[in-house]
């Protein structure tokens, strides 16, 4: 089916008039799924060239090394939107043009996406960094109890940690009862203790594919920092791989999308953003083959199958959101200190 | 046109290429390594703070880990590659040698990333190695092989043994067979012939391969990242962390230059003692 759609898209492009527009987008891997992209290209005749990146630093470097106008659309970590807005990289989005009113209110993140009343980006996808686990091999009650249960000798060597310092530091902060948005350097010693204790228990620290592989192959039974993005795509084949939000809470991740200020095709770029946040686009993005996540637009629920909604825990979001905090958004100095702490933990 | 002008004309393309794609980027990286970040702002100047970071335990440890893994991989790969190259050169009939070398190159045909993930599956607790160990009754419980230094070294050795086989094979093939015969005529045993005749004459091939292994291994990010499970970090992994989110290019540049310094040191040691420059 994927191949057919991709082929159809290629044929449609071949038949498109020579004046068909092309936009260039810096994205995360979920946007590269043909199931997500082809319907937009078929419907609009706009061709989207995608460039995947990992880490905001890499995106900023790519933008800096490119000529102005080379890029039209940017997908970025929700907490880094202020960073690119301050750098003057983002174009204002037309007020009232996007269905932000239909979004889950908790993930609109107006404080990040707007400046002086002007919106520069919108949340397009979100989810949790929490605990993913193999329900056939661990007691779900332990997972509900949170990080404390994982420090038990029983879990030694059965844990993987997701290799991204901000969400896992956020989880440690949540475990300590701290507010993730007001963390300071004074909180780091306590967080350090939690991280180091988890490290002692863990078999590995890995990025997305490594964490998924570790859980799917039985190398570990729990992934700290996992969530729907880690296990939802595997649920059809391995329904025992699941996730939960512990009673103590978890952290939220978000990703945002916007049009770059130097875009040569701002109208086409905006058209793409409109598609991404439309209910149909949101449903496809939420279930992208690269990784799943919750759509920002609640109306996407109507375009998801029962199985997809179940894997995303659609009906439990109210309770989950109530227990989740955004993952930390440190300033440069605290960010550096957190990264050093993370490296120190890895190197133990 | 004078000989001098013709000479410059011939050398100009290589000179321009080297200047554009090595000298200039290197100069930029060197300058960047002396810059610093003030918040998120890049401040150019001469600051040694980035190099001082080498004293931090987790970064110093990364240098040590990189060297330990690289030296281990190089030694094991040489020990495995030499007999393999010798078998191909002296035991396999000449008409099959090309096929044997082709087979030796097979691992290069697979994507580096795919190969590393394949090793992860092979070495996992439910992987084929553990299944074999359990089946043979050698162990009662699956042993942890994936996400360890052993896994990283295994992934590297799989790749570099083949590379070394090629360079050592080339050296062995250049050996005139009369040397070994002459040594035998003079009463030397096979071992003595190998130690005093064959090995010294094939050292350039060994060192070339070992140096290439050292360079490629110490700068590799993918294999330790996938197979090592981040249980210890190598220098390239620490460099990548600097670039990932914070875009700390000054520190990353300084660490990259340290990495380059290690490679340069390895080259100097090799060329001085083993005359690698004549190979």
């Amino acid at each position: 089916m994927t191949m057919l759609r991709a082929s159809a898209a290629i044929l449609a492009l071949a038949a498109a008039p020579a004046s068909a527009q092309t936009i260039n987008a810096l994205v995360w891997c979920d946007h590269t799924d043909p199931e997500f992209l082809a319907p937009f290209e078929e419907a609009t005749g706009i061709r989207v060239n995608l460039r995947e990146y990992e880490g905001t630093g890499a995106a900023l470097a790519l933008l800096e090394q490119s000529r102005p106008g080379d890029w039209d659309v940017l997908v970025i970590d929700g907490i880094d939107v202020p960073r690119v807005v301050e750098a003057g990289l983002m174009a204002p989005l037309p007020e009232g043009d996007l269905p932000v009113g239909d979004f889950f209110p908790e993930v609109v993140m107006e404080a990040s996406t707007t400046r002086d009343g002007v919106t520069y980006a919108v949340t397009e996808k979100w989810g949790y960094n929490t605990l993913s686990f193999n329900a056939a091999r661990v007691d779900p009650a332990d997972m509900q109890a949170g990080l404390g249960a994982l420090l038990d000798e029983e879990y030694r060597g059965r844990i993987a940690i997701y290799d991204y310092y901000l969400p896992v530091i956020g989880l440690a902060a949540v475990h300590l009862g701290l507010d993730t948005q007001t963390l300071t350097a004074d909180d780091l010693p306590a967080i350090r203790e939690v991280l180091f204790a988890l490290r002692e228990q863990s078999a590995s620290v890995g990025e997305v594919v490594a964490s998924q592989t570790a859980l799917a192959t039985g190398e570990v039974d729990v992934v700290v920092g996992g969530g729907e993005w880690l296990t939802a795509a595997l649920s059809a084949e391995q329904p025992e791989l699941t996730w939960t939000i512990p009673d103590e809470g978890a952290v939220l991740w978000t990703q945002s999308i916007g049009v770059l200020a130097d875009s040569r095709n701002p109208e086409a770029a905006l058209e793409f953003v409109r598609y991404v946040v439309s209910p149909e686009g949101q449903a496809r993005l939420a279930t992208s083959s690269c990784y799943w996540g919750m759509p920002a637009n609640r109306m996407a629920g109507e375009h998801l199958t029962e199985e997809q909604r179940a894997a995303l825990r659609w009906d439990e979001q109210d309770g989950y959101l109530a227990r989740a905090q955004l993952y930390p958004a440190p300033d440069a100095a605290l960010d550096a200190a957190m990264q050093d702490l993370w490296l120190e933990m890895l190197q133990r | 046109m004078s000989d001098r002008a013709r000479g410059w004309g011939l050398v100009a393309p290589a000179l321009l290429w080297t200047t554009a794609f090595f000298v200039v980027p290197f100069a930029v990286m060197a300058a960047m390594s002396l810059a610093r970040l003030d918040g998120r702002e890049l401040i150019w100047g001469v600051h040694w703070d980035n190099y001082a970071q080498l004293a931090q335990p987790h970064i110093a440890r990364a240098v040590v880990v990189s060297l330990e893994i690289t030296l281990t991989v190089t030694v094991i790969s040489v020990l495995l590659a030499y007999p393999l190259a010798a078998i191909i050169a002296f035991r396999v009939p000449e008409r099959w040698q090309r096929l044997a070398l082709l087979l030796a190159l097979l691992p290069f045909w697979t994507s580096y990333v795919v190969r590393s993930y394949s090793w992860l599956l092979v070495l996992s607790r439910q992987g084929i190695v553990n299944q074999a160990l359990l089946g043979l009754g050698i162990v009662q419980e699956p042993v942890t092989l994936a996400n360890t230094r052993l896994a990283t070294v295994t992934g590297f050795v799989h790749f570099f043994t083949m590379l070394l086989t090629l360079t050592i094979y080339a050296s062995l093939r250049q050996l005139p067979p009369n040397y070994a015969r002459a040594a035998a005529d003079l009463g030397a045993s096979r071992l003595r012939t190998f130690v005093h005749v064959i090995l010294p004459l094939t050292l350039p091939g060994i060192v070339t391969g070992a140096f290439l292994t050292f360079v490629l291994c110490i700068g590799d990010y993918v294999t330790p990242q996938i197979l090592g499970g981040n249980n210890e970090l190598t220098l390239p992994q620490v460099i990548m962390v600097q670039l990932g989110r914070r875009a700390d290019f000054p520190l990353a540049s300084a660490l990259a230059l340290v990495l380059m310094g290690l490679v340069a040191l390895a080259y100097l040691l090799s060329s001085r003692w083993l005359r690698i420059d004549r190979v």
Side-chain angles (χ1 to χ4, degrees), chain B residues 10 58 73 85 124 209 221:
Chain B
L10 288 171
H58 57 271
V73 167
S124 71
Y221 164 77

Side-chain angles (χ1 to χ4, degrees), chain A:
Chain A
M1 188 64 185
T2 302
M3 288 295 290
L4 280 176
R5 280 186 178 230
S7 305
I10 291 165
L11 287 173
L13 282 173
S19 59
Q21 295 185 73
T22 298
I23 58 170
N24 300 315
L26 266 177
V27 298
W28 290 2
C29 69
D30 52 345
H31 292 69
T32 60
D33 185 348
E35 297 272 355
F36 161 72
L37 199 60
F40 171 75
E41 293 187 328
E42 284 169 18
T44 63
I46 298 170
R47 185 178 171 194
V48 187
N49 291 326
L50 300 172
R51 169 74 188 265
E52 274 181 64
Y53 76 90
E54 282 183 33
T56 300
L60 293 175
L62 273 167
L63 288 170
E64 199 174 296
Q65 289 158 15
S66 305
R67 291 171 305 176
D70 275 357
W71 299 101
D72 303 291
V73 172
L74 176 67
V75 168
I76 191 166
D77 192 328
I79 63 162
D80 286 327
V81 172
R83 195 167 155 189
V84 287
V85 171
E86 277 166 27
L89 293 172
M90 306 305 292
L93 295 172
E95 214 52 48
D97 191 63
L98 301 170
V100 179
D102 292 335
F103 284 16
F104 286 90
E106 294 86 346
V107 300
V108 171
M109 295 177 62
E110 213 169 88
S112 294
T113 56
T114 63
R115 192 175 185 187
D116 301 330
V118 179
T119 303
Y120 290 91
V122 288
T123 306
E124 56 163 20
K125 192 170 175 178
W126 60 282
Y128 303 94
N129 289 110
T130 177
L131 300 179
S132 284
F133 59 95
N134 184 333
R137 295 165 64 118
V138 302
D139 183 353
D142 285 349
M143 301 303 107
Q144 210 56 44
L147 295 189
L150 297 179
L151 301 181
D152 191 276
E153 184 61 29
E154 183 191 350
Y155 285 101
R156 194 174 188 82
R158 298 170 63 194
I159 295 170
I161 301 174
Y162 172 47
D163 185 15
Y164 188 16
Y165 62 104
L166 290 178
V168 180
I169 285 177
L171 276 176
V174 168
H175 174 66
L176 292 165
L178 301 170
D179 178 352
T180 57
Q181 298 308 292
T182 58
L183 293 178
T184 67
D186 295 338
D187 296 316
L188 294 186
I191 289 172
R192 174 198 183 96
E193 277 188 32
V194 177
L195 288 181
F196 283 20
L198 278 173
R199 187 74 180 97
E200 288 297 314
Q201 295 287 87
S202 68
S204 63
V205 182
E207 36 67 53
V208 179
V209 180
S211 301
Q212 272 181 330
T213 306
L215 195 62
T217 59
E219 194 67 21
V220 298
D221 298 327
V222 184
V223 177
V224 175
E228 73 296 315
W229 56 272
L230 191 80
T231 51
L234 304 172
S235 59
E237 288 181 11
Q238 290 181 274
E240 70 278 14
L241 303 185
T242 185
W243 59 285
T244 190
I245 307 282
D247 295 335
E248 65 191 16
V251 294
L252 273 178
W253 58 266
T254 64
Q255 61 190 57
S256 300
I257 187 168
V259 176
L260 285 156
D262 290 330
S263 168
R264 288 193 189 128
N265 297 295
E267 276 307 315
L270 183 60
E271 194 60 36
F272 181 60
V273 175
R274 284 193 193 107
Y275 166 68
V276 171
V277 295
S278 70
E280 297 85 356
Q282 285 276 279
R284 293 184 190 116
L285 184 64
T287 54
S288 158
S289 57
C290 186
Y291 64 91
W292 287 30
M294 283 293 292
N297 190 335
R298 285 177 296 187
M299 299 302 135
E302 296 164 16
H303 299 271
L304 294 170
T305 65
E306 273 310 307
E307 290 76 18
Q308 289 169 337
R309 286 163 63 103
L312 289 169
R313 307 287 167 71
W314 190 268
D315 297 328
E316 296 173 60
Q317 290 305 317
D318 288 345
Y320 282 5
L321 279 167
R323 298 207 296 279
Q325 301 183 45
L326 283 170
Y327 68 60
D331 62 23
L334 185 59
D335 196 5
M338 285 179 169
Q339 187 177 285
D340 283 346
L341 172 59
W342 187 253
L343 283 175
E344 197 185 336
M345 181 204 77
L346 291 177
Q347 203 64 289
R348 272 171 71 83

Side-chain angles (χ1 to χ4, degrees), chain B residues 74 206-216 263-264 266-268 270 276:
Chain B
T74 306
I206 297 172
V207 171
T208 304
F211 177 68
L212 285 174
T213 302
F214 186 93
V215 172
L216 294 172
V263 171
Y267 174 78
L268 288 174
S270 309
I276 192 171

Side-chain angles (χ1 to χ4, degrees), chain B residues 127-211:
Chain B
I128 191 169
V129 175
N130 262 312
Q131 293 306 314
L133 292 174
L134 288 167
L136 293 169
I138 296 171
V139 296
Q140 304 306 314
E141 288 282 321
V143 288
T144 300
L145 299 171
N147 302 314
T148 61
R149 182 183 288 196
L150 174 69
T152 302
V153 169
T154 304
F156 273 138
V157 166
H158 176 218
F159 184 75
F160 290 122
T161 298
M162 301 311 154
L163 180 74
L164 273 155
T165 301
L166 289 182
T167 61
I168 296 171
Y169 169 82
S171 283
L172 288 169
R173 288 290 295 168
Q174 286 170 13
L175 273 184
N178 289 343
Y179 286 10
R181 287 186 204 133
D185 282 350
L186 292 169
S189 66
R190 283 189 167 193
L191 179 64
R192 202 173 168 85
T193 303
F194 174 74
V195 172
H196 292 286
V197 179
I198 296 176
L199 186 61
L201 289 171
T202 51
L203 264 182
I206 297 172
V207 171
T208 304
F211 177 68

